[in-house]
Amino acid sequence: MIAKRIFILTGAGVSAESGLSTFRDTGGIWSRYKLEEVASIQGYENNPAFVLEFYNMRRNTHAGVEPNEAHIALGQLQTIWAERGGAVTICTQNVDNLHERGGALSVIHMHGEIAKARCHDCGGLAPYDGDLSPNMGCGACGRTGGMRPHVVWFGETPLYMDEIYEALSSADLFVSIGTSGNVYPAAGFVSAARAAGIPTMEINLEPSGNAEAFDLARYGKASEQVPAWVAEMVAIAG
Ligand code: NAD
Ligand code: ZN
């Protein structure tokens, strides 16, 4: 089997055609909101109600969208590879659950999940699809006022980094899909893969910020490019 262990990193571009805004593109979320106000711990401490409202709005938007052909194709690739004794790691920077809803068996959410709430005081984590408010109590420790979205903000450390580097270092193909290559540490995965001698490819609408770091590239819509690549991989694998 070629590329028995595939590591896939996804970003906002994989969910764009499902109707979720990307971050840095024109009209993206960050052209409309100040990053430091809604996606940093300082912003949250200064104005928790505003930050919770921003994520309530995003959570509601996420609930109304469906996975697209790219999510579905990646779910199929992961399933087929597992059946044939290989492994596909899907590591996403996205806080939506469209990979899971598109059929992925397991997903590493390095920037958290918007459909979960976390207690700022005790770290208690629970699925939560309603609106968060500053006067909510924590089901675990009972304290009030610390319930926040389970989303990694700027200045905070991404999640599952040990697991990620382990999967990355044992992969024999690294594929980056729909990410601008601007936010570290995810933007550094391609260099880590290259340093380990692993072939790298990006699939993106246009060359990303670190396009020159990839061995191969396919440019176009994720909903078209990803299913085409997956079909080729499955055909080659036989
Ligand atoms: P991004 O918006 O920076 O980049 C999206 C990329 O997708 C772009 O390169 C764009 O060309 C491409 N793209 C757009 N539509 C596409 C399509 N249909 N098909 C294929 N590609 C398409 O998003 P990113 O790279 O995911 O950003 C990095 C991460 O930074 C985000 O995922 C997010 O987790 C994080 N971030 C988080 C916050 C927060 O709320 N905590 C704030 C800002 C950024
Ligand atoms: Zn708590």
Side-chain angles (χ1 to χ4, degrees):
M1 180 191 243
I2 52 138
K4 198 168 178 195
R5 304 179 71 83
I6 305 174
F7 187 103
I8 295 173
L9 170 70
T10 69
V14 80
S15 296
E17 291 164 77
S18 292
L20 297 180
S21 285
T22 56
F23 295 95
R24 286 171 183 74
D25 298 318
T26 313
I29 294 171
W30 306 113
S31 63
R32 289 178 277 135
Y33 289 88
K34 283 192 182 140
L35 187 78
E36 58 280 11
E37 284 178 9
V38 294
S40 74
I41 192 73
Q42 289 83 2
Y44 173 70
E45 279 165 3
N46 290 345
N47 193 345
F50 179 67
V51 173
L52 294 183
E53 214 172 277
F54 171 74
Y55 286 96
N56 289 343
M57 178 268 294
R58 285 187 62 198
R59 191 181 304 102
N60 285 329
T61 308
H62 285 209
V65 301
E66 297 300 328
N68 65 51
E69 295 305 318
H71 300 107
I72 294 166
L74 293 176
Q76 287 167 345
L77 183 71
Q78 195 179 47
T79 306
I80 293 168
W81 250 233
E83 284 166 2
R84 297 183 186 178
V88 173
T89 299
I90 299 176
C91 172
T92 188
Q93 299 167 86
N94 299 341
V95 296
D96 65 57
N97 60 6
L98 294 176
H99 281 303
E100 289 90 338
R101 288 170 53 205
L105 306 170
S106 76
V107 181
I108 300 176
H109 280 276
M110 65 180 290
H111 291 165
E113 294 164 82
I114 203 165
K116 289 184 179 167
R118 172 159 37 101
C119 174
H120 188 56
D121 295 311
C122 74
L125 189 63
Y128 197 78
D129 58 9
D131 285 349
L132 291 171
S133 78
N135 53 16
M136 270 176 66
C138 168
C141 72
R143 273 178 279 194
T144 300
M147 295 309 288
R148 56 167 279 185
H150 180 48
V151 164
V152 175
W153 285 326
F154 281 87
E156 298 184 312
T157 310
L159 309 169
Y160 311 112
M161 292 311 294
D162 290 348
E163 195 183 321
I164 288 170
Y165 282 117
E166 200 180 308
L168 187 54
S169 61
S170 66
D172 38 27
L173 177 64
F174 171 78
V175 184
S176 171
I177 303 173
T179 174
S180 61
N182 282 311
V183 174
Y184 284 82
F189 290 174
V190 61
S191 310
R194 282 182 79 97
I198 300 162
T200 59
M201 178 171 84
E202 82 165 339
I203 301 178
N204 209 44
L205 201 53
E206 61 201 4
S208 66
N210 51 6
E212 71 291 341
F214 290 89
D215 301 315
L216 296 167
R218 296 179 175 213
Y219 296 120
K221 291 178 177 176
S223 65
E224 293 167 5
Q225 294 296 325
V226 175
W229 170 68
V230 167
E232 285 172 35
M233 290 299 288
V234 171
I236 296 167

